[in-house]
Amino acid sequence: MTSTSSPVGRRASSPAAGYRTAGASSATDVLLEREVEAARLAAAVEGAAAGRGAVVVIEGAAGLGKTRLLRHAAELASSSARVLTASGSELEHEFGFGVVRQLFERAAAEAGLEGAAALAAPALGHASDASGDRFASLHGLYWLVANLSSSQPLLLTVDDAQWADGPSLRFLAYLARRVGELPVTLLLASRPPLPDEDRSILEAIAAEAQLLAPAPLSESAIATLAGPTADPAFVTAVHHATAGNALLVEELLAEARETHLAYDMHTTRIPGSDPGIRDAYDMHTSRTPGSDPGVRLGYELDASVERIGRRVARRLAGLGEAAAPLAGAVAVLGDGVEVEVAARLAGVAVEDARVAAAELVAADLFEDARTLRFRHPLIRTAVAERLPAVELGQAHADAARLLAALGKPPGAVAAHLLAAPPTADGWAHETLRAAAHEACGQGTPELAAIYLRRVLQTPVVGRAGADEHVALLVELGRAEHAAGSAEGPGRLRAAWELSGDGQVAFELVSMLAEQTRWAEGAAVGREALRRTHDRELDLRLQTAVADCVRMDPSTGGDEPERLIALAKTLNGDTPAERRVLATAALITPVDTAAEHARAALLVHRAAADGSRVSVTGVVSNLIRAGRLDDAERIAEEVLASARAAGLIQRHALMLSMRGWISLERGNLVAAREDLEAALELGPQLELPATVVASAAAMLALVVAEQGELERADDLLTAHGLQDDLPEHQVMNLLLHFRSRIRGLQGRPDDALSDAQGVGRRYERLGIRRAVPPWRSTVAILTDDEALAREERELAERWGTPLAKAQAHRGLGLITHDTHHLQRAAELLEKSPHRLELARARVDLGAAQRRAGQRAQAREPLRQGMDAAHACGARPLADRARTELLATGARPRRLALQGTDALTPSEQRVANLAATGLTNRQIAQELFVTAATVDTHLRHVFQKLDIKSRGQLTGAISR
């Protein structure tokens, strides 16, 4: 047989040792004392076959038989389900979606990526116009699982999950929360956590799972494995030495059979046997004086993990010449490698490698001779530790080039470069940067950051190296920022200081602003403005600094005023000029709704230049201006584009904005649905803290309007909104919402304090307008008629029906003049603000009843009660009912019927179903599960009293 020199190295051979006796029992071949675990696994597999998904996590120390339980589950499922398996490894921990690829690469290639599953293409390494949104990949992978399980139940098993890469774990956590609605069993095996080890994602999976914790084997089980001829004292010694660890038990028993230890009662060692065998276990005998010398009374056995390494070494030494190099190559390349690839790295002929693989299987070191895999991770570790550090590092470097030559993904190649010594080699740098680019496209910027940090460890010298260093700092800063790290701006700052590039400075200001570090952003922008001589860049920097100062007034400075003045001198001939005009319009204090809306639409149009504009700022301006239809149109456009591109984070952001629009309309049920959905997605999607806080405050107001006052407090507390709020623009609106919540809770002092706080903040900003209506709140609570009249003047100038109505309502409640309350109701009748109309009518009717006009009060009270009920505002409806009873009326009990009884989600599902879409297509369209669609349609059928989808169109149009 021919061979070439091996980069992994060879070991001298010696007489064969370590073969298992034919027919011997093994702790991993037999499920001893695992009846409970086996039964629960069987129940999970059977449940999936019946359509009930489940998550099971097996946790235990190395060697307790977790892998055998996974195999047992696979055997149980093989007749009824498709079994897909994967295993984490220390080597591929930094290979994004490595475990996901093991699970689905082949299945996806066979089945294709249809519908929303196409979003999984980047995670699986397929060519795709990747959005870079990590949650798009998760959503696509979920639908890949849903598609695969639609024709046959699935069993997904992941061994050594503690070593799985982060992106794969995030997907498994995403799936675990939804797997109950699919015919899928998700089965993970993991060792217990190490001190200071981050196990947050695995813990999130375990929270959704049934946990199995196999116990160590008892002495009785070891006796069964040892067989009836084994010395009981030896069995006791094995139990003591191994603490019942199944792998260590198996190793001791196999060695004992090979040497006849404990089966020959008259010798401590078989004459002629390898003396190292005795040393490997530190075996000693003792006997009581006068006793039969042939009876062994005790054994002292060392079965430590370190001793496994020695036994592995002896077994390798007893095999053919190619075995040790091949084992070393597999230890470097990782489990599951093809024989041909391992042979190339080992430097042996393929035929020799096949023979060696068979020997390694027979020696119980390999599990499979086709796709090479160690029988246990501890054996792989033992083989890897035999290689000197220098040789191991070079082997990983060689493996990287080998895999690259074979066309493997950049991430797989980069995993080996990370395990090799750092190098300034140009090819290694290009490969790591390509892997970073791939990772960003997959939505895993945290891995991109790891690759780029390695490149920065070995900078290239010279001018070209300096330019590359700056580019790398920018790439790394972007990756760290996208990953949610506060380190990103520091990288861009270093790049700017090295290069003096104003464009880098502008990006740094924008990055700091996105992290709500507005004061730092303003400082950087001011410094960059002193350095730049490019007019377009100068204008862009001025807009960025002015916006930072606007968002955080404590920063100080007159940049907003200067930008407003500058805008008056520009025609909008260039993109930067148009950006100045849009930003100036947005930050200019205006006291009319028309100007406010014009500024919002101007900013929205600036996006046509490719400018990064705040769509939330546009929508919120339109809401304040009373342009709810325009606000909803833009929000729906963004939602539709986000769904099409799989941008779930953007989708969640717009859900919160649509929830606010529904709150303004008075549709509390719709508002609650969207805001709860946004909040549920918040922790999963790592939404900005201000976005989550805004959604929480709005939801707290919604539930308070619905009468759930304690729930409102819980929401405020959970999101840190009970105490003093930072004096930022975003928080000013939340303070106004909290004032309204306190009023609904019957806490007038707190409501007054918050309303006054809103007023002080707006006065410091130089904003004097009728929205938000803090003056009316303060005036009502302090009986300040002058302040109420000031609010009315500002409301007339603002010009929206809502602002005018709220000012009239405040005056009416203070002066007890029903004409103001009547005017408030009249103004709101032609507006979209149905809950405020209900409130105005109830206030009017209550005032008329108190004035002795009981008959006149009944109609506005009845209308207010009906409107409040339709909005879902139970406390207001109850108040109207109580007032009606006080007038002598006998109000009816209300119940919604027909399409009016449908929730917004039910209405959306019904509309899509009426167009002919299937439940699966509807689920993909709305970013929900098919089971959720099933539930909504069942409720639709019940409420509309129909029996089939064919009746939907007629029922909806009635």
PDB file of all heavy atoms in Angstrom, residues 844-862:
ATOM      1  N   LEU A 844     -70.955  64.659  28.133  1.00  0.00           N
ATOM      2  CA  LEU A 844     -72.088  65.541  27.854  1.00  0.00           C
ATOM      3  C   LEU A 844     -73.345  65.041  28.547  1.00  0.00           C
ATOM      4  O   LEU A 844     -74.044  65.804  29.243  1.00  0.00           O
ATOM      5  CB  LEU A 844     -72.315  65.638  26.342  1.00  0.00           C
ATOM      6  CG  LEU A 844     -73.588  66.366  25.891  1.00  0.00           C
ATOM      7  CD1 LEU A 844     -73.579  67.818  26.377  1.00  0.00           C
ATOM      8  CD2 LEU A 844     -73.726  66.295  24.362  1.00  0.00           C
ATOM      9  N   GLY A 845     -73.664  63.773  28.385  1.00  0.00           N
ATOM     10  CA  GLY A 845     -74.872  63.231  29.004  1.00  0.00           C
ATOM     11  C   GLY A 845     -74.822  63.309  30.518  1.00  0.00           C
ATOM     12  O   GLY A 845     -75.825  63.625  31.163  1.00  0.00           O
ATOM     13  N   ALA A 846     -73.661  63.029  31.107  1.00  0.00           N
ATOM     14  CA  ALA A 846     -73.531  63.096  32.565  1.00  0.00           C
ATOM     15  C   ALA A 846     -73.736  64.520  33.057  1.00  0.00           C
ATOM     16  O   ALA A 846     -74.403  64.752  34.084  1.00  0.00           O
ATOM     17  CB  ALA A 846     -72.154  62.584  32.989  1.00  0.00           C
ATOM     18  N   ALA A 847     -73.174  65.509  32.320  1.00  0.00           N
ATOM     19  CA  ALA A 847     -73.349  66.914  32.717  1.00  0.00           C
ATOM     20  C   ALA A 847     -74.814  67.324  32.595  1.00  0.00           C
ATOM     21  O   ALA A 847     -75.350  68.049  33.455  1.00  0.00           O
ATOM     22  CB  ALA A 847     -72.464  67.805  31.855  1.00  0.00           C
ATOM     23  N   GLN A 848     -75.466  66.872  31.521  1.00  0.00           N
ATOM     24  CA  GLN A 848     -76.887  67.197  31.356  1.00  0.00           C
ATOM     25  C   GLN A 848     -77.730  66.542  32.449  1.00  0.00           C
ATOM     26  O   GLN A 848     -78.665  67.154  32.981  1.00  0.00           O
ATOM     27  CB  GLN A 848     -77.361  66.740  29.974  1.00  0.00           C
ATOM     28  CG  GLN A 848     -76.790  67.569  28.827  1.00  0.00           C
ATOM     29  CD  GLN A 848     -77.110  66.983  27.470  1.00  0.00           C
ATOM     30  OE1 GLN A 848     -77.266  65.771  27.322  1.00  0.00           O
ATOM     31  NE2 GLN A 848     -77.204  67.843  26.445  1.00  0.00           N
ATOM     32  N   ARG A 849     -77.397  65.334  32.825  1.00  0.00           N
ATOM     33  CA  ARG A 849     -78.145  64.665  33.893  1.00  0.00           C
ATOM     34  C   ARG A 849     -77.978  65.422  35.204  1.00  0.00           C
ATOM     35  O   ARG A 849     -78.947  65.639  35.954  1.00  0.00           O
ATOM     36  CB  ARG A 849     -77.637  63.236  34.020  1.00  0.00           C
ATOM     37  CG  ARG A 849     -78.571  62.303  34.793  1.00  0.00           C
ATOM     38  CD  ARG A 849     -78.178  62.099  36.235  1.00  0.00           C
ATOM     39  NE  ARG A 849     -76.785  61.823  36.471  1.00  0.00           N
ATOM     40  CZ  ARG A 849     -76.220  62.011  37.650  1.00  0.00           C
ATOM     41  NH1 ARG A 849     -76.911  62.506  38.669  1.00  0.00           N
ATOM     42  NH2 ARG A 849     -74.923  61.754  37.819  1.00  0.00           N
ATOM     43  N   ARG A 850     -76.739  65.874  35.502  1.00  0.00           N
ATOM     44  CA  ARG A 850     -76.503  66.634  36.736  1.00  0.00           C
ATOM     45  C   ARG A 850     -77.199  67.986  36.715  1.00  0.00           C
ATOM     46  O   ARG A 850     -77.549  68.530  37.766  1.00  0.00           O
ATOM     47  CB  ARG A 850     -74.993  66.831  36.943  1.00  0.00           C
ATOM     48  CG  ARG A 850     -74.260  65.559  37.352  1.00  0.00           C
ATOM     49  CD  ARG A 850     -72.850  65.870  37.840  1.00  0.00           C
ATOM     50  NE  ARG A 850     -72.034  66.475  36.792  1.00  0.00           N
ATOM     51  CZ  ARG A 850     -71.303  65.791  35.930  1.00  0.00           C
ATOM     52  NH1 ARG A 850     -71.283  64.450  35.982  1.00  0.00           N
ATOM     53  NH2 ARG A 850     -70.583  66.420  35.013  1.00  0.00           N
ATOM     54  N   ALA A 851     -77.422  68.515  35.501  1.00  0.00           N
ATOM     55  CA  ALA A 851     -78.121  69.798  35.371  1.00  0.00           C
ATOM     56  C   ALA A 851     -79.624  69.629  35.386  1.00  0.00           C
ATOM     57  O   ALA A 851     -80.369  70.603  35.185  1.00  0.00           O
ATOM     58  CB  ALA A 851     -77.676  70.500  34.097  1.00  0.00           C
ATOM     59  N   GLY A 852     -80.098  68.413  35.627  1.00  0.00           N
ATOM     60  CA  GLY A 852     -81.535  68.159  35.705  1.00  0.00           C
ATOM     61  C   GLY A 852     -82.180  67.884  34.374  1.00  0.00           C
ATOM     62  O   GLY A 852     -83.406  67.800  34.289  1.00  0.00           O
ATOM     63  N   GLN A 853     -81.373  67.756  33.296  1.00  0.00           N
ATOM     64  CA  GLN A 853     -81.928  67.508  31.960  1.00  0.00           C
ATOM     65  C   GLN A 853     -81.883  65.994  31.675  1.00  0.00           C
ATOM     66  O   GLN A 853     -81.191  65.528  30.769  1.00  0.00           O
ATOM     67  CB  GLN A 853     -81.111  68.289  30.918  1.00  0.00           C
ATOM     68  CG  GLN A 853     -81.071  69.791  31.168  1.00  0.00           C
ATOM     69  CD  GLN A 853     -80.056  70.507  30.307  1.00  0.00           C
ATOM     70  OE1 GLN A 853     -79.301  69.880  29.558  1.00  0.00           O
ATOM     71  NE2 GLN A 853     -80.020  71.828  30.392  1.00  0.00           N
ATOM     72  N   ARG A 854     -82.649  65.241  32.442  1.00  0.00           N
ATOM     73  CA  ARG A 854     -82.529  63.781  32.376  1.00  0.00           C
ATOM     74  C   ARG A 854     -82.964  63.215  31.029  1.00  0.00           C
ATOM     75  O   ARG A 854     -82.305  62.344  30.481  1.00  0.00           O
ATOM     76  CB  ARG A 854     -83.336  63.157  33.505  1.00  0.00           C
ATOM     77  CG  ARG A 854     -82.800  63.521  34.887  1.00  0.00           C
ATOM     78  CD  ARG A 854     -83.244  62.529  35.935  1.00  0.00           C
ATOM     79  NE  ARG A 854     -84.710  62.396  35.986  1.00  0.00           N
ATOM     80  CZ  ARG A 854     -85.355  61.476  36.724  1.00  0.00           C
ATOM     81  NH1 ARG A 854     -84.640  60.611  37.437  1.00  0.00           N
ATOM     82  NH2 ARG A 854     -86.656  61.427  36.742  1.00  0.00           N
ATOM     83  N   ALA A 855     -84.045  63.691  30.490  1.00  0.00           N
ATOM     84  CA  ALA A 855     -84.513  63.174  29.205  1.00  0.00           C
ATOM     85  C   ALA A 855     -83.534  63.505  28.097  1.00  0.00           C
ATOM     86  O   ALA A 855     -83.242  62.682  27.215  1.00  0.00           O
ATOM     87  CB  ALA A 855     -85.889  63.764  28.890  1.00  0.00           C
ATOM     88  N   GLN A 856     -82.979  64.745  28.117  1.00  0.00           N
ATOM     89  CA  GLN A 856     -82.033  65.164  27.106  1.00  0.00           C
ATOM     90  C   GLN A 856     -80.721  64.395  27.206  1.00  0.00           C
ATOM     91  O   GLN A 856     -80.031  64.187  26.214  1.00  0.00           O
ATOM     92  CB  GLN A 856     -81.776  66.664  27.262  1.00  0.00           C
ATOM     93  CG  GLN A 856     -81.025  67.294  26.112  1.00  0.00           C
ATOM     94  CD  GLN A 856     -80.918  68.806  26.265  1.00  0.00           C
ATOM     95  OE1 GLN A 856     -81.556  69.399  27.137  1.00  0.00           O
ATOM     96  NE2 GLN A 856     -80.121  69.426  25.410  1.00  0.00           N
ATOM     97  N   ALA A 857     -80.400  63.940  28.429  1.00  0.00           N
ATOM     98  CA  ALA A 857     -79.126  63.258  28.648  1.00  0.00           C
ATOM     99  C   ALA A 857     -79.118  61.842  28.092  1.00  0.00           C
ATOM    100  O   ALA A 857     -78.036  61.282  27.824  1.00  0.00           O
ATOM    101  CB  ALA A 857     -78.805  63.233  30.140  1.00  0.00           C
ATOM    102  N   ARG A 858     -80.299  61.245  27.908  1.00  0.00           N
ATOM    103  CA  ARG A 858     -80.329  59.816  27.580  1.00  0.00           C
ATOM    104  C   ARG A 858     -79.698  59.496  26.234  1.00  0.00           C
ATOM    105  O   ARG A 858     -78.995  58.488  26.089  1.00  0.00           O
ATOM    106  CB  ARG A 858     -81.772  59.311  27.636  1.00  0.00           C
ATOM    107  CG  ARG A 858     -82.316  59.236  29.055  1.00  0.00           C
ATOM    108  CD  ARG A 858     -83.792  58.952  29.090  1.00  0.00           C
ATOM    109  NE  ARG A 858     -84.297  59.016  30.462  1.00  0.00           N
ATOM    110  CZ  ARG A 858     -85.585  59.128  30.780  1.00  0.00           C
ATOM    111  NH1 ARG A 858     -86.494  59.186  29.805  1.00  0.00           N
ATOM    112  NH2 ARG A 858     -85.950  59.186  32.042  1.00  0.00           N
ATOM    113  N   GLU A 859     -79.951  60.319  25.216  1.00  0.00           N
ATOM    114  CA  GLU A 859     -79.445  59.994  23.884  1.00  0.00           C
ATOM    115  C   GLU A 859     -77.915  60.030  23.825  1.00  0.00           C
ATOM    116  O   GLU A 859     -77.297  59.062  23.348  1.00  0.00           O
ATOM    117  CB  GLU A 859     -80.041  60.937  22.837  1.00  0.00           C
ATOM    118  CG  GLU A 859     -79.673  60.564  21.405  1.00  0.00           C
ATOM    119  CD  GLU A 859     -80.097  59.153  21.022  1.00  0.00           C
ATOM    120  OE1 GLU A 859     -81.036  58.611  21.642  1.00  0.00           O
ATOM    121  OE2 GLU A 859     -79.481  58.565  20.105  1.00  0.00           O
ATOM    122  N   PRO A 860     -77.251  61.108  24.290  1.00  0.00           N
ATOM    123  CA  PRO A 860     -75.777  61.055  24.249  1.00  0.00           C
ATOM    124  C   PRO A 860     -75.205  59.943  25.122  1.00  0.00           C
ATOM    125  O   PRO A 860     -74.185  59.344  24.764  1.00  0.00           O
ATOM    126  CB  PRO A 860     -75.343  62.441  24.739  1.00  0.00           C
ATOM    127  CG  PRO A 860     -76.519  63.007  25.432  1.00  0.00           C
ATOM    128  CD  PRO A 860     -77.721  62.431  24.761  1.00  0.00           C
ATOM    129  N   LEU A 861     -75.877  59.642  26.247  1.00  0.00           N
ATOM    130  CA  LEU A 861     -75.386  58.558  27.100  1.00  0.00           C
ATOM    131  C   LEU A 861     -75.546  57.207  26.405  1.00  0.00           C
ATOM    132  O   LEU A 861     -74.648  56.355  26.470  1.00  0.00           O
ATOM    133  CB  LEU A 861     -76.119  58.559  28.437  1.00  0.00           C
ATOM    134  CG  LEU A 861     -75.722  59.659  29.412  1.00  0.00           C
ATOM    135  CD1 LEU A 861     -76.656  59.670  30.630  1.00  0.00           C
ATOM    136  CD2 LEU A 861     -74.274  59.474  29.874  1.00  0.00           C
ATOM    137  N   ARG A 862     -76.682  57.011  25.737  1.00  0.00           N
ATOM    138  CA  ARG A 862     -76.889  55.742  25.027  1.00  0.00           C
ATOM    139  C   ARG A 862     -75.894  55.602  23.870  1.00  0.00           C
ATOM    140  O   ARG A 862     -75.307  54.540  23.660  1.00  0.00           O
ATOM    141  CB  ARG A 862     -78.331  55.670  24.516  1.00  0.00           C
ATOM    142  CG  ARG A 862     -78.688  54.330  23.887  1.00  0.00           C
ATOM    143  CD  ARG A 862     -80.158  54.246  23.520  1.00  0.00           C
ATOM    144  NE  ARG A 862     -80.993  54.164  24.709  1.00  0.00           N
ATOM    145  CZ  ARG A 862     -81.776  55.137  25.161  1.00  0.00           C
ATOM    146  NH1 ARG A 862     -81.828  56.296  24.520  1.00  0.00           N
ATOM    147  NH2 ARG A 862     -82.525  54.977  26.239  1.00  0.00           N
TER     148      ARG A 862
END
